[in-house]
Amino acid sequence: LCVIYFIMSGIYIFFATIVYVISNGLEAFEDPTKYEPWLLGQALYSILFAQIFTLFIIYRMYRKRGFYVMMRFRKISLKQGLISGLLGLVMLGMSSWIIEILYMISPSIVDNYIESISGITFQANFFVIFIIFAVMAPIFEEVLMRGVLFRVFEPTALSMGLIIILS
């Protein structure tokens, strides 16, 4: 499934590059300052495309056996959803504290982090970043880990250890 994910990401970049060449011509690739920002911006869209398509493939694989049964998904109450959302916001705040602590220890680590993440965040709008990292990533992780990998290792004695390590 990971191979499918990377193939789908590559297919997106391939077709996006064809569209870029059609709209800007081959001479656009002569100057890296013209196409590098565009290519960096396409990285997030390729992640989103690959996530959606891979989830579709997983759904098609498990559809006959009952996708929701195989994934062991259960409905949650509104209270559980609100508590989960609140805990997510708390974790977001804690991650900013961790970055501040790292800055006190070694400012160069944080400077390198900011430099590397700034190229990604300024090339796509906030909505796309939110969808990829706050919506699709948790869904993708749950389906892949709980639904696929855990099902593969469940019959073995390694299943409990695997659950602990992957959590």
Side-chain angles (χ1 to χ4, degrees):
L1 291 173
C2 291
V3 172
I4 292 171
Y5 179 84
F6 288 116
I7 289 171
M8 289 302 108
S9 182
I11 287 172
Y12 175 85
I13 292 294
F14 175 75
F15 284 111
T17 303
I18 289 173
V19 170
Y20 182 78
V21 168
I22 290 171
S23 63
N24 296 310
L26 282 173
E27 60 274 354
F29 284 104
E30 294 173 6
D31 183 14
T33 59
K34 290 183 179 178
Y35 70 85
E36 282 179 355
W38 172 84
L39 189 60
L40 186 60
Q42 294 303 308
L44 288 174
Y45 295 109
S46 74
I47 291 169
L48 182 61
F49 176 78
Q51 286 175 336
I52 291 170
F53 196 86
T54 305
L55 286 174
F56 176 73
I57 295 290
I58 293 170
Y59 174 77
R60 297 286 295 180
M61 286 171 47
Y62 290 106
R63 182 178 54 151
K64 294 199 187 225
R65 290 183 265 173
F67 178 76
Y68 297 102
V69 173
M70 291 296 290
M71 298 298 144
R72 295 185 179 162
F73 291 146
R74 288 179 266 134
K75 290 185 179 183
I76 63 170
S77 68
L78 179 62
K79 180 181 175 183
Q80 289 172 321
L82 291 174
I83 289 172
S84 295
L86 182 61
L87 286 174
L89 290 174
V90 168
M91 295 303 286
L92 180 64
M94 289 178 67
S95 66
S96 64
W97 291 345
I98 291 170
I99 292 173
E100 288 180 30
I101 291 170
L102 284 174
Y103 188 77
M104 288 188 284
I105 295 170
S106 175
S108 64
I109 292 173
V110 176
D111 291 339
N112 291 339
Y113 168 76
I114 290 172
E115 183 181 323
S116 65
I117 200 77
S118 66
I120 293 173
T121 57
F122 292 122
Q123 296 298 324
N125 62 29
F126 176 77
F127 180 73
V128 173
I129 293 170
F130 178 80
I131 292 295
I132 290 171
F133 295 109
V135 177
M136 291 302 295
I139 293 170
F140 190 76
E141 185 266 337
E142 280 296 316
V143 168
L144 187 64
M145 296 300 172
R146 181 194 298 196
V148 178
L149 290 179
F150 181 67
R151 286 286 178 187
V152 169
F153 291 106
E154 189 176 32
T156 68
L158 298 174
S159 62
M160 188 53 74
L162 184 68
I163 292 170
I164 293 169
I165 290 171
L166 292 177
S167 293

